[in-house]
């Protein structure tokens, strides 16, 4: 009973940031007709800044004025209703205020929680990332038979778009892959940020195109700085006498070894790929609903 009550309290405490309306966050965006259904969707969402306690009670964000956070429900509206993706669970999404969710060049970071347990970082200083990349390339190719038999395109892991870097001082890891999907005109960027906690890992997966690599790299320190763990859930709070230890280390987080064994890594890559390529068509169509910036009007 106590656990149920705790879960209810945590749910109520989540997303306590300052919610702002669309017109306040995007004062330079005007609609020709506010009866348009797209305006209704965008206006229905809460664009949150400040401290946001994420669902689950493990972590929180401190979102500055040049970014905004969308709740899990609003994130699902963006990914499913506006971008045409399948339903999926998340802890929300972070966007820079320079883009609405419908801007052609919009990018954002989807948040999720992996309750894998405490991930030891003892292997971080000894990983050969070139060797790890070769292993990941072989694993990706090996998954292609499964992908083709299930109606999906083949994937080639071209290489690191950004080699892995682990900051032991703050227990945060980031890396980026360049992926080529069979038949796609451009390659896909798969940029990842991981924050290690006592009981699992806070995951941020950036939804962006390869041409936005430098923009995402420049924003990464700010996004990483937003993430923090609740008191008692921090990496330093680990208690080896009672806490679960993950079966993988830093290298396993990057390579996705556990997921690869069950084929889930292929599913995850399909999902990330759809975020970008399926987004292009709806955005091109939906932009006809939105007027140009006021300065261009």
């Amino acid at each position: 009973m106590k656990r149920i009550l705790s879960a209810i309290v945590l749910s109520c405490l989540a997303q306590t940031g300052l919610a702002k309306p669309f017109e306040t966050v995007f004062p330079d965006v005007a609609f020709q007709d506010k009866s348009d259904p797209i305006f209704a969707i965008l206006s229905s969402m809460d664009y949150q800044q400040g401290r946001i306690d994420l669902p689950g009670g493990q972590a929180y964000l401190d979102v500055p004025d040049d970014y905004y956070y969308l709740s899990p429900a609003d994130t699902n509206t963006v990914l499913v209703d506006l971008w045409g993706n399948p339903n999926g669970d998340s802890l929300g999404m972070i966007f820079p205020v320079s883009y609405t969710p419908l801007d052609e060049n919009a990018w954002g970071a989807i948040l999720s929680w992996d309750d894998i347990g405490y991930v030891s970082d003892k292997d971080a200083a000894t990983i050969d990332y070139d060797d790890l990349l070769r292993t990941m390339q072989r694993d990706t190719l090996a998954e292609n038979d499964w992908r083709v038999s299930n109606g999906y395109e083949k994937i080639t892991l071209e290489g690191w778009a950004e080699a892995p870097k682990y900051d032991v001082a703050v227990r945060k890891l980031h890396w980026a892959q360049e992926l080529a999907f069979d038949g796609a005109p451009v390659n896909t960027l798969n940029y990842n940020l991981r924050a290690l906690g006592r009981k699992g890992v806070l995951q941020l997966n950036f939804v962006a195109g390869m041409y936005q690599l430098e923009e995402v790299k420049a924003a990464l320190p700010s996004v990483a700085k937003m993430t923090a763990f609740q008191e008692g859930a921090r990496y330093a709070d680990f208690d080896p006498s009672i806490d679960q230890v993950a079966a993988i280390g830093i290298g396993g987080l990057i390579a996705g070894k556990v997921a690869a064994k069950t084929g889930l890594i292929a599913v995850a890559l399909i999902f990330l790929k759809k975020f970008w390529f399926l987004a292009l068509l709806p955005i091109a169509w939906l932009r006809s609903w939105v007027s140009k910036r006021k300065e261009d009007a």
Side-chain angles (χ1 to χ4, degrees), residues 10-27:
L10 288 172
S11 177
C12 293
L13 290 175
Q15 301 152 42
T16 56
L18 177 63
K20 298 181 179 179
F22 180 85
E23 295 91 336
T24 300
V25 179
F26 307 105

Side-chain angles (χ1 to χ4, degrees), residues 147 153-162 176-192 206-213 268-278 280:
R147 291 177 58 82
E153 305 94 329
K154 293 181 179 180
I155 294 177
T156 300
L157 173 54
E158 298 287 352
W160 299 124
E162 178 76 1
Q177 304 167 3
E178 180 176 357
L179 302 170
F181 286 79
D182 194 30
V186 295
N187 288 351
T188 294
L189 175 65
N190 182 14
Y191 213 118
N192 305 273
F206 289 80
V207 183
M210 274 302 302
Y211 71 96
Q212 295 172 300
L213 174 61
L269 290 174
I270 291 167
F271 200 38
L272 289 173
K273 180 259 186 180
K274 283 185 176 180
F275 282 145
W276 183 247
F277 285 100
L278 288 187
L280 294 179

Side-chain angles (χ1 to χ4, degrees), residues 74-251:
D74 286 344
T75 295
N76 212 44
T77 296
V78 171
L79 298 180
V80 178
D81 298 338
L82 299 182
W83 289 10
N85 287 278
N87 280 291
D89 294 327
S90 78
L91 298 182
M93 195 167 182
I94 299 168
F95 285 92
V97 293
S98 51
Y99 301 117
T100 77
L102 289 183
D103 284 347
E104 184 175 2
N105 293 319
W107 62 265
I110 300 173
L111 296 117
S112 60
W113 174 252
D114 187 351
D115 61 353
I116 193 173
Y118 175 88
V119 176
S120 171
D121 61 359
K122 291 181 179 180
D123 65 332
T126 60
I127 299 172
D128 183 335
Y129 290 118
D130 290 334
D131 183 60
L132 180 62
L133 175 62
R134 288 188 288 270
T135 300
M136 293 169 63
Q137 288 173 322
R138 289 194 297 268
D139 289 346
T140 302
L141 288 175
E143 291 288 341
N144 279 333
D145 288 341
W146 179 91
R147 291 177 58 82
V148 171
S149 65
N150 284 273
Y152 298 104
E153 305 94 329
K154 293 181 179 180
I155 294 177
T156 300
L157 173 54
E158 298 287 352
W160 299 124
E162 178 76 1
K165 292 183 176 63
Y166 178 66
D167 188 338
V168 66
V170 294
R171 312 292 183 180
K172 292 177 182 177
L173 166 72
H174 71 269
W175 75 97
Q177 304 167 3
E178 180 176 357
L179 302 170
F181 286 79
D182 194 30
V186 295
N187 288 351
T188 294
L189 175 65
N190 182 14
Y191 213 118
N192 305 273
L193 171 64
R194 301 289 184 267
L196 278 59
R198 175 182 178 179
K199 297 183 178 181
V201 179
L202 181 63
Q203 304 178 125
L204 289 87
N205 295 312
F206 289 80
V207 183
M210 274 302 302
Y211 71 96
Q212 295 172 300
L213 174 61
E214 294 305 316
E215 187 177 356
V216 173
K217 282 173 60 176
L220 188 76
S222 296
V223 176
K225 189 177 180 181
M226 294 181 210
T227 64
F229 286 92
Q230 304 282 5
E231 186 175 352
R234 296 165 299 190
Y235 196 82
D237 296 322
F238 172 68
D239 184 342
S241 66
I242 59 173
D243 291 333
Q244 173 188 347
V245 177
I248 60 174
I250 297 299

